[in-house]
Amino acid sequence: MAGIRNIKISIGKFLIKNKFKVLVVFSIIVFIDMVFINIISNWIIIPLIVFGLLCVVTYKLKFKWCLYISLTLLILMALFGLFQLPIVAEKLAIWAYVFLVVTFFKKLENEKNNGFRS
């Protein structure tokens, strides 16, 4: 158990120390997946989603930014759908859905911290 805890701590320290590099590499990998890989594979998208969620949690991304990202992805999804690029549009839809779910939980967390208002 101590070994797993040490691994978590070292991964967390690495992610925090190299924030910009990690986000750039992650963005490039997602871009390559969307544009150049013409299949939708769970073996590719699930690890990317897990890593993306890990970045959101580690970097404490605010509710507002999650909302902006999800809305941007939804707009891009519609545009790529109009341009007859269904695989890219579907991958954008997956990411938009992930960020909409994250936005929902961030909003719940925000309301919990500020007290629920009616």
Side-chain angles (χ1 to χ4, degrees), residues 27-38 91:
S27 299
I28 290 170
I29 292 171
V30 170
F31 177 76
I32 288 170
D33 174 48
M34 285 188 193
V35 175
F36 297 113
I37 299 176
N38 290 329
K91 288 180 182 183

Side-chain angles (χ1 to χ4, degrees), residues 26 57 60 63 102:
F26 175 70
V57 170
K60 297 177 176 75
F63 159 76
V102 169

Side-chain angles (χ1 to χ4, degrees), residues 8-46:
K8 285 181 182 178
I9 291 171
S10 63
I11 289 173
K13 285 181 181 179
F14 174 79
L15 289 175
I16 290 172
K17 183 179 176 184
N18 300 307
K19 180 178 182 176
F20 183 74
K21 292 177 188 175
V22 168
L23 290 176
V24 167
V25 169
F26 175 70
S27 299
I28 290 170
I29 292 171
V30 170
F31 177 76
I32 288 170
D33 174 48
M34 285 188 193
V35 175
F36 297 113
I37 299 176
N38 290 329
I39 59 169
I40 298 174
S41 171
N42 291 339
W43 295 105
I44 297 171
I45 196 73
I46 291 175

